[in-house]
Amino acid sequence: MSVELEFREDVAVITLDDGNKNVINHGVLDQLEAAWDRAEAEANAVILAGRAGSFCAGYDISVMTGGDAKAAAELGRRGGRLAYRLFDSAKPLIGVSAGHAFTIGAVWLSCCDIRIGEQGRYKYGMTEVALNVGFGDWPLQPLKARLNPSEVIPALLHSKIYDPTAALNAGFIDQLVPEGQAIGAALGQAAELAKLPSEAYHTSKRSLRRDALGVMAGDLGL
């Protein structure tokens, strides 16, 4: 897995690209956490993007369904701790999905302040229940905050799968642009958001998300 960090003036761009589906394991999280540390410290706005074709396919299924409940739980919690940091980011955060987004990928998208998707034969979904994995408290907080209320039950309990247009209507993304245009759109919006006063932005974000962040912190032991 490759996690690339680049700076375009005062905007940091973090890109996940393993050349395939962007599956999340501990090695990926090592790279993501390091990139996030630098981006949040050095930039005035951040973009989190996946490779063309897949934002993130979710956790490594061999770990999550491999029979070692402790290992699966630890990988899940670690992804949750990063989700908390994204949801509580002091800097404006834009998610760019130019492909599929499932499970932890969809959760990380929901933690972003603006989420831009691209048109294409891509799918979005939270398939935990279909995989016989029950939800804890922490992943539901950003999802419930961003999903349209009418889609909470279908998306989270019924493991409904969405194409990009349906994902826009459901609240998995905020904007849908033609193929190849998401990064350009994100850079333009990030440059504008980077001009906002950081302290006021973070204070206001925390006020809006205080209850959800409190539940996440309690469930994740933060």
Side-chain angles (χ1 to χ4, degrees):
M1 175 69 182
S2 174
V3 175
E4 180 182 359
L5 171 64
E6 61 177 322
F7 290 88
R8 303 199 185 183
E9 297 184 355
D10 53 359
V11 176
V13 182
I14 300 172
T15 305
L16 292 76
D17 186 357
D18 66 356
N20 194 3
K21 296 181 179 180
N22 285 345
V23 171
I24 304 303
N25 54 35
H26 287 292
V28 174
L29 285 166
D30 287 342
Q31 296 178 61
L32 271 173
E33 290 164 0
W36 182 255
D37 287 343
R38 279 198 62 198
E40 194 170 38
E42 299 177 24
N44 290 331
V46 184
I47 294 170
L48 178 63
R51 66 184 299 274
S54 184
F55 175 75
C56 174
Y59 290 118
D60 185 339
I61 197 69
S62 68
V63 176
M64 303 309 287
T65 62
D68 186 337
K70 185 176 180 180
E74 176 51 33
L75 183 58
R77 279 193 301 270
R78 192 171 176 194
R81 291 192 289 268
L82 180 59
Y84 181 93
R85 296 182 66 189
L86 300 178
F87 204 45
D88 187 41
S89 170
K91 309 296 173 65
L93 175 59
I94 298 179
V96 171
S97 178
H100 304 294
F102 284 95
T103 62
I104 190 59
V107 174
W108 285 342
L109 272 180
S110 73
C111 293
C112 297
D113 303 326
I114 297 174
R115 302 154 302 158
I116 304 174
E118 286 190 355
Q119 294 171 340
R121 299 178 64 181
Y122 307 128
K123 302 297 182 183
Y124 294 74
M126 296 297 299
T127 55
E128 277 81 351
V129 171
L131 294 171
N132 198 29
V133 178
F135 285 106
D137 288 336
W138 73 260
L140 296 180
Q141 305 313 306
L143 288 164
K144 290 192 299 182
R146 305 309 300 277
L147 288 174
N148 292 333
S150 63
E151 293 297 327
V152 168
I153 296 300
L156 303 182
L157 292 187
H158 302 160
S159 297
K160 182 178 177 179
I161 304 301
Y162 300 81
D163 65 23
T165 298
L168 175 66
N169 294 329
F172 279 101
I173 52 177
D174 303 304
Q175 302 170 27
L176 184 59
V177 300
E179 186 176 2
Q181 295 186 17
I183 281 291
L187 285 167
Q189 293 180 52
E192 289 302 310
L193 292 176
K195 299 174 185 178
L196 293 171
S198 179
E199 184 175 352
Y201 193 90
H202 195 204
T203 298
S204 300
K205 182 187 289 190
R206 280 190 160 175
S207 294
L208 286 169
R209 299 176 177 177
R210 180 178 294 113
D211 292 344
L213 287 167
V215 173
M216 293 178 75
D219 192 32
L220 291 164
L222 300 174

